Amino acid sequence: MHYFLQQLINGITLGSIYGLIAIGYTMVYGIIGMINFAHGDVFMVGSFVSLITIIIFGITGTSNVFLGIGVLVLVAAISMVIAGIYGWTIERLAYRPLRGSFRLAPLITAIGVSIFLQNFVQATQGARVKPLQAIISGGFTLLSSDDFVVRITYMQILIVVLTFLLMAGFTYLISKTSLGRAQRACEQDMKMAMLLGIDVNTTISTTFVIGAALAAVAGLMYLLYYGVIDFYIGFSAGIKAFTAAVLGGVGSLPGAMLGGLVIGLIEVFFAAYFSSEYKDVAAFSMLIVVLIFMPQGLLGRPEIEKV
Amino acid sequence: MSQNDQSISKVLPILKRSVVATFIAFFLFLPTLGIKTAASGGVDGLFLQYRWPLLAIGCGLVFFGRIAYELMSSNKEGKQQKQAAPSALARALGSSKVAKAVAPLLLVFGLIFPFLPSSDRYILDLGILIITYVMLGWGLQIVVGLAGLLDLGYVAFYAVGAYSYALLSIHFGFGFWMCLPLAGLLAATWGVVLGFPVLRLRGDYLAIVTLAFGEIIRVVLLNWRSFTGGSNGLSSIPRPSFFGLPFNQEPGGFAATFGLEYSSLQRIIFLYFLILALAIFTYFVTGRLRRLPIGRAWEALREDEIACRSLGINTVNTKLSAFAIGAMFGGFAGSFFAAKQAFVSPESFNFMESATILAIVVLGGMSSQLGVVFSAIAMVGGVELLRQLQFLKVIFGADFDPSQLRLLLFGLAMVLMMLWRPRGLVSTRTPTVFLKDKKTVSAAMISQGRG
Amino acid sequence: MSVPLLSVNNLTMRFGGLTAVDSVSFDVHRDHITAVIGPNGAGKTTAFNCITGFYKPTDGQIVLTHADDSVFKLEEMEDFRISQTAKVARTFQNIRLFGGMTVLENLMIAQHNRLMRASLYTLAGIFNTPSYQRAQKIAKEKAEFWMDRVGITDRADDPAAALPYGAQRKLEIARAMCTDPVLLCLDEPAAGLNPRESEELNTLLRSIRDTNKVGILLIEHDMSVVMEISDHIIVLDYGRKISDGTATEVRNDPAVIKAYLGVVED
């Protein structure tokens, strides 16, 4: 029971990270119907920017939670800005010229961008893993028995709380502001939106920037949670986050979050109770099972085939 | 207005845009080129290396690159028209008459290639590699190009073929010609098993599911150590022999039997002809399939699945057959790969391989067999050239490995080529049957399908 | 009268809370052209999609009876089997051709199942056996026959997407006919045609009914087509059948007049 509870906490933390990345997939897929394959790598870049910024601030291992949080918010902001620029540039250079072109073309460029980013970071930052000491240490002991202690660290609380704050903020943004309305209009019918005077290009760019910024936060959290990153983390995290987006129902922000949690929990529990070597197989199999039996996802709308 | 003013009014916006681009590039490059996290060797791990000159070089490249791009695109008059008209090369390749003439030429070149004076071991190995990719490209072309099913996990079938050959020959002592059909059959079976549940999915979902399948197979190969040898792979796979004659210095070997002087090159040449034969076989079979009812149904599926169903075509079976036959050729190629390397490990079957094969097909053109040949030469051969870029060590430092840059440029090339020709080198299609005359169908007519 | 070709019984289709077709029953006879008409949103296309298997009806039976008395329960069949074994062909409201393939290829694909058998599911086709060649030749002749019949032979080797709109409509009918149907379902075949083309369509449909002995079920908005060629008209409104009879009967039915009142018809 104690073991189970500990895994539950870990799963929710990991799931929050996946959920944040998934939002980027779900928004982009919703608005232009493409899988932004490079999104996982933007997450990776965000993670590296966070690493660099943290080293610049030179704060590790503090138990002063408020100082830690203060610095981390600053780090997050910087990573969000730089990742946002990455997201914007990728859309502008690799996707926008192909909008309305051959359907496979943007997916291929997305794969190209993904390969490029991975190897660019590998070439400039080196192939070795980058370790980082815990920034905020400490936590609460929830339960303890003779042989097992259930702990929730400050870090985990921070990750989950921050995720839900961001989630709430962006759900508000999408449902209540004019940017959100423009996005939904583009989702429905891009041509019509354009005719009604919506700046489609800006709307799409903004979507990419927001998605990239959230991925950067996820990258920071991943760095803090695992304490180690490399240039390749974007690939499998990307696929899992995409799985989360599909699981939750593509186009739905709460769905992406929910999907992220489910995938995080599956991964953690599978690793804890069965085999950590096959945990990716579990997550990917989940994707396949979901797509076959529930293609509209948990919170998505069912699709009626137009004949 | 004086001429001076005019040129200023032209130059200023260009400069302005270039400065903006450089400004953006500065932020992109700052955490990559500009600042490097390096290990200090201590417990604490990392410190930062600042590389301002490199950052400046990067930004400078963007600045002048942008100016060059602006100048080029402003000189290009009637840009729109130029994009619409296919290039001369593409037109030539697309025309069935030229294709008929080029194909035999390529074949002749392929046949004499090993005997050219310039063909040393390295060049031959490269030739083998390119032909392997051509074969894989033709296999995947059935799935992606004809049936319009985006498969990002094609390398899984390549892996199945390679491991089939490795395991069958190690455990049962089967020879190459025995293993080849079995490997193809096993790969096709896997194609059906994996394809059946997922082929109802719409296009992008199928792509990501096949990607997941590819990864699952790789992870299983990596971790099922008792069966696959895990990350160490399987070594000491028996090498194929020339109708029972091994390529060695023994009296019963190939060289001794034919009274030739032994040379390790003989085995390479043999392997070269082996893959050439397999590729030619693939060429004829896939070319023939396209003109059969099954191939037409594949293309119809790509054009409009609902219309297919209204005509009584079993779309699930049709997709499965495309998936299985594509997988089969992947299996053949994998089998050859294992035989050539005498060693297989999961590292050879990662996502990069799938991406490379897919890029070859898409760049080649979705339904042109010749296009695949040229794009395989460009992709594999061109990228191989980059291995030679030793001078880059001057810029990135002595511990820099240019083969890292190879993949980086590969990714960049994928993007640029898609921007340049989104529909590939040969974007037209040749009808499979005709009444009076065969006219090629221009790219604009061809649908991309949903799947 | 003999057993009807198609007998639709209490057909109901609901999408969530919306009932698009509400227990509609009607018959289609072998030697008849039957038209389904009704204002926009009356459930015509939905009923059509149920008959051709693209939607699974919520309730009701759709029974097709061939001339040899074999019976098919269409509501239980997968869409492609309805064309393959029950021999119901259809066209689409917004034309669905294989645009990148030539006219001839479109017509060859319609004969896919026969050609697949002839090619022994590709095995014999690979080796181009004489029996496959014969089958291919017969299929080509059939395609030529229908191209002649609808008058697009000169465009045989052009991609379908390059054809003008009227010719595309004709090609879609020819393609449907190449599947050898017993029932041809046409979803607004006259939409977008000019008066001359409409006239040609009428002639074509009559001749298909008379010489090929194929029952025709069509949805149409163009009243000139409907009233002129239909032997039997079914009127739907808000998913319910409100009238059923010959052209004259339907025209004078107060329920029909009421449904169309205020709707400008041209």
Side-chain angles (χ1 to χ4, degrees), chain A residues 26-243:
Chain A
T26 224
M27 285 199 307
V28 167
Y29 195 93
I31 197 163
I32 54 172
M34 76 168 276
I35 298 175
N36 179 10
F37 203 86
H39 189 60
D41 299 289
V42 172
F43 152 79
M44 179 269 295
V45 168
S47 198
F48 268 89
V49 176
S50 302
L51 176 68
I52 290 171
T53 326
I54 286 171
I55 299 175
I56 289 176
F57 286 124
I59 292 191
T60 48
T62 176
S63 52
N64 182 341
V65 176
F66 292 101
L67 176 67
I69 290 177
V71 170
L72 285 184
V73 168
L74 205 58
V75 169
I78 294 172
S79 308
M80 284 170 92
V81 169
I82 298 216
I85 296 176
Y86 265 91
W88 184 88
T89 312
I90 292 168
E91 194 275 333
R92 185 69 192 80
L93 294 183
Y95 304 156
R96 192 183 295 180
L98 290 171
R99 206 180 295 154
S101 162
F102 183 46
R103 188 184 52 87
L104 286 183
L107 189 67
I108 304 282
T109 51
I111 293 172
V113 170
S114 166
I115 293 171
F116 174 81
L117 279 183
Q118 272 174 32
N119 289 285
F120 186 53
V121 172
Q122 186 192 13
T124 53
Q125 296 290 350
R128 273 197 221 137
V129 294
K130 309 282 178 188
L132 182 75
Q133 278 203 337
I135 305 230
I136 302 173
S137 49
F140 302 110
T141 301
L142 294 179
L143 287 169
S144 66
S145 62
D146 307 335
D147 52 350
F148 200 82
V149 181
V150 181
R151 270 175 72 81
I152 179 164
T153 62
Y154 295 136
M155 209 46 255
Q156 287 177 317
I157 296 173
L158 183 72
I159 289 175
V160 175
V161 168
L162 192 55
T163 304
F164 279 90
L165 282 179
L166 284 169
M167 256 310 291
F170 280 95
T171 310
Y172 171 80
L173 196 73
I174 299 298
S175 55
K176 295 285 189 302
T177 64
S178 66
L179 168 71
R181 270 196 298 280
Q183 268 186 342
R184 277 173 290 150
C186 291
E187 263 182 68
Q188 294 288 323
D189 188 335
M190 201 174 287
K191 235 180 226 151
M192 194 62 212
M194 207 181 292
L195 289 172
L196 291 174
I198 292 172
D199 187 342
V200 171
N201 280 340
T202 309
T203 309
I204 292 175
S205 286
T206 317
T207 307
F208 271 88
V209 170
I210 292 174
L214 290 179
V217 179
L220 168 62
M221 290 174 174
Y222 186 98
L223 170 69
L224 297 176
Y225 184 61
Y226 283 111
V228 57
I229 55 169
D230 63 40
F231 70 96
Y232 201 61
I233 57 169
F235 182 71
S236 72
I239 302 181
K240 285 174 198 160
F242 180 79
T243 308

Side-chain angles (χ1 to χ4, degrees), chain C residues 69-83:
Chain C
D69 289 332
S70 46
V71 173
F72 299 89
K73 294 179 175 157
L74 301 189
E75 80 277 7
E76 293 171 0
M77 294 171 73
E78 274 185 272
D79 45 19
F80 74 92
R81 297 235 180 263
I82 289 179
S83 165

Side-chain angles (χ1 to χ4, degrees), chain B residues 70-88:
Chain B
E70 294 270 353
L71 292 178
M72 257 161 47
S73 55
S74 68
N75 284 343
K76 220 188 265 175
E77 277 178 54
K79 206 170 91 184
Q80 296 293 324
Q81 262 185 331
K82 198 172 172 184
Q83 271 181 347
S87 74

Side-chain angles (χ1 to χ4, degrees), chain B residues 102-401:
Chain B
V102 172
L105 282 178
L106 273 174
L107 179 62
V108 169
F109 178 73
L111 287 171
I112 59 167
F113 177 73
F115 306 111
L116 295 177
S118 62
S119 295
D120 56 11
R121 178 167 181 158
Y122 170 76
I123 296 281
L124 272 177
D125 271 336
L126 185 58
I128 290 174
L129 191 67
I130 290 175
I131 299 174
T132 311
Y133 276 106
V134 168
M135 182 171 167
L136 285 166
W138 282 335
L140 185 62
Q141 197 170 40
I142 291 178
V143 185
V144 179
L146 296 187
L149 303 165
L150 186 50
D151 182 355
L152 291 180
Y154 190 64
V155 77
F157 305 122
Y158 189 41
V160 168
Y163 274 84
S164 299
Y165 175 75
L167 291 167
L168 287 171
S169 64
I170 289 174
H171 294 305
F172 302 104
F174 285 7
F176 178 76
W177 294 108
M178 182 96 146
C179 288
L180 187 72
L182 285 175
L185 205 65
L186 277 168
T189 312
W190 271 102
V192 172
V193 170
L194 301 187
F196 188 72
V198 301
L199 284 173
R200 286 159 216 265
L201 300 176
R202 65 165 193 243
D204 312 43
Y205 282 9
L206 181 70
I208 216 84
V209 165
T210 49
L211 171 67
F213 270 142
E215 280 301 292
I216 288 175
I217 289 208
R218 197 179 63 83
V219 173
V220 170
L221 290 177
L222 203 57
N223 291 309
W224 193 2
R225 292 187 194 84
S226 58
F227 188 59
T228 63
S231 57
N232 296 328
L234 294 166
S235 52
S236 65
I237 300 168
R239 291 174 184 280
S241 57
F242 186 80
F243 300 103
L245 303 176
F247 290 94
N248 55 23
Q249 285 169 298
E250 308 297 318
F254 173 81
T257 312
F258 287 89
L260 300 168
E261 201 176 323
Y262 173 77
S263 146
S264 64
L265 211 58
Q266 281 159 0
R267 197 172 54 79
I268 307 290
I269 293 176
F270 170 69
L271 286 171
Y272 175 86
F273 280 114
L274 193 58
I275 187 66
L276 189 65
L278 285 174
I280 291 168
F281 170 75
T282 311
Y283 176 83
F284 280 111
V285 173
T286 54
R288 179 78 195 136
L289 281 173
R290 186 175 169 264
R291 292 193 299 276
L292 287 177
I294 184 88
R296 270 200 294 269
W298 289 336
E299 290 201 83
L301 205 62
R302 178 194 67 207
E303 296 279 325
D304 194 326
E305 188 176 336
I306 286 174
C308 277
R309 301 211 305 251
S310 85
L311 297 172
I313 295 173
N314 185 337
T315 49
V316 174
N317 283 358
T318 308
K319 285 179 183 177
L320 269 184
S321 64
F323 222 60
I325 291 175
M328 182 180 76
F329 287 111
F332 288 156
S335 184
F336 170 81
F337 175 79
K340 186 193 86 169
Q341 301 286 51
F343 168 72
V344 289
S345 81
E347 277 321 292
S348 313
F349 308 104
N350 54 27
F351 172 68
M352 267 306 298
E353 292 297 312
S354 286
T356 310
I357 305 164
L358 183 68
I360 286 171
V361 174
V362 175
L363 177 68
M366 302 300 267
S367 64
S368 159
Q369 290 181 298
L370 269 184
V372 167
V373 177
F374 286 103
S375 73
I377 292 172
M379 281 283 184
V380 184
V383 167
E384 191 61 30
L385 284 179
L386 298 172
R387 269 193 208 279
Q388 320 299 328
L389 299 179
Q390 298 297 329
F391 71 89
L392 285 163
K393 288 199 174 184
V394 181
I395 305 175
F396 286 94
D399 58 344
F400 179 74
D401 172 13

